[in-house]
Amino acid sequence: MTDSELVEKTIAFVREELAQAEGGHDWFHIERVFKNTLLIAKDEPVDVLVVSLAALLHDIADPKFHGGDEEIGPRKAASFMKSLGIRAEVHSHVVDIVRRMSFKNTLEGNAGKESRELQVVRDADRLDAMGAIGIARAFNFGGHKGRPLYDPEVAPRVGMTKADYKKSNGPTLNHFYEKLLLLKDLMHTETGKRLAAGRHAFMLEYLEAFYAEWSGRA
Ligand code: ADP
Ligand code: NI
């Protein structure tokens, strides 16, 4: 199979697998991350097949909905790529990226040496947690968990460990300070940094309007 046939087959598989997924991690999230990945990859010396497959497979199974099993995603990605007969180096590189992608896993500080391919896909995924889309995803997540939008009495917690982050159940506005506003400085690529700057500025503007409306100043 050509690379573009492999990508097409992967798209079809992911769409089917995520048909019932919730709004934050559905096919459209994958499609946005895939597009951002290709955009970022244009200016990076990366293997386009690796970043394409990793972007498409990175959320194939969310541990949150599988009893916290963090190996289920990498395992599913691996067995799908096996069924396509993907060559060994590409296969193992993609599985490694899927395993190491999430924000939680970078809180541990045990990242080790990261490939540029991993960094490209991670930047693309992080961009989708920022800006207008990121705000929508955060409130969607908070709503799903039945959390308040905001509570002036509950302070955000910074510098959380992976365990704290997973347990965190504060109001959704706190998530901006616990994660979303930190992402800009974690970008690896030039394109990622440029896009993140715009999305970051938009979130700050959004927060200002939120507080103004909350307190009756607007
Ligand atoms: P990651 O895999 O990077 O840890 P998640 O799967 O936790 O990311 O997050 C998926 C989406 O839900 C993101 O847009 C993220 O910002 C949002 N989200 C995660 N945790 C919270 C939270 N406590 N409050 C609001 N949104 C959240
Ligand atoms: Ni994702």
Side-chain angles (χ1 to χ4, degrees):
M1 256 188 269
T2 64
D3 285 3
S4 78
E5 284 166 340
L6 292 172
V7 168
E8 284 308 313
K9 290 241 187 283
T10 307
I11 289 174
F13 168 72
V14 176
R15 282 185 99 121
E16 175 72 26
E17 280 291 311
L18 297 184
Q20 311 298 330
E22 47 78 45
H25 277 137
D26 57 4
W27 161 252
F28 295 116
H29 164 65
I30 305 304
E31 191 177 43
R32 293 188 301 268
V33 173
F34 179 48
K35 286 182 179 162
N36 283 335
T37 294
L38 296 179
L39 185 70
I40 295 170
K42 271 204 301 210
D43 294 317
E44 298 290 330
V46 290
D47 182 326
V48 176
L49 181 61
V50 168
V51 294
S52 298
L53 297 180
L56 291 167
L57 293 166
H58 84 275
D59 276 329
I60 196 65
D62 189 335
K64 286 199 283 301
F65 301 112
H66 292 91
D69 179 358
E70 300 198 0
E71 273 304 305
I72 186 161
R75 217 162 42 228
K76 260 196 168 166
S79 70
F80 171 70
M81 285 189 290
K82 205 156 184 210
S83 77
L84 284 189
I86 303 258
R87 47 181 198 284
E89 328 79 80
V90 172
H91 175 109
S92 58
H93 196 169
V94 172
V95 173
D96 183 60
I97 295 175
V98 172
R99 182 173 290 127
R100 291 160 56 167
M101 274 282 291
S102 96
F103 178 73
K104 300 186 282 294
N105 291 338
T106 58
L107 292 174
E108 296 291 85
N110 59 355
K113 173 121 185 58
E114 298 191 338
S115 69
R116 199 60 174 165
E117 282 80 1
L118 165 63
Q119 297 184 331
V120 164
V121 183
R122 200 195 273 129
D123 276 10
D125 192 38
R126 284 181 172 162
L127 282 171
D128 208 51
M130 305 179 70
I133 298 269
I135 294 170
R137 290 179 77 212
F139 286 106
N140 178 62
F141 183 101
H144 180 75
K145 298 270 184 180
R147 295 182 186 160
L149 302 177
Y150 175 51
D151 183 341
E153 307 276 294
V154 183
R157 303 168 62 193
V158 285
M160 284 190 288
T161 63
K162 177 172 167 177
D164 294 337
Y165 180 78
K166 287 209 281 195
K167 281 192 306 233
S168 166
N169 59 2
T172 300
L173 253 253
N174 289 9
H175 187 62
F176 284 76
Y177 302 93
E178 292 166 357
K179 172 177 173 187
L180 308 186
L181 295 174
L182 310 178
L183 296 174
K184 166 177 80 69
D185 294 329
L186 297 173
M187 303 303 279
H188 304 286
T189 64
E190 283 314 306
T191 307
K193 284 178 192 167
R194 180 168 52 76
L195 296 172
R199 294 182 189 210
H200 185 85
F202 182 77
M203 292 192 291
L204 292 180
E205 217 180 294
Y206 173 81
L207 288 170
E208 244 177 70
F210 188 102
Y211 295 127
E213 292 175 19
W214 187 275
S215 64
R217 283 183 284 119

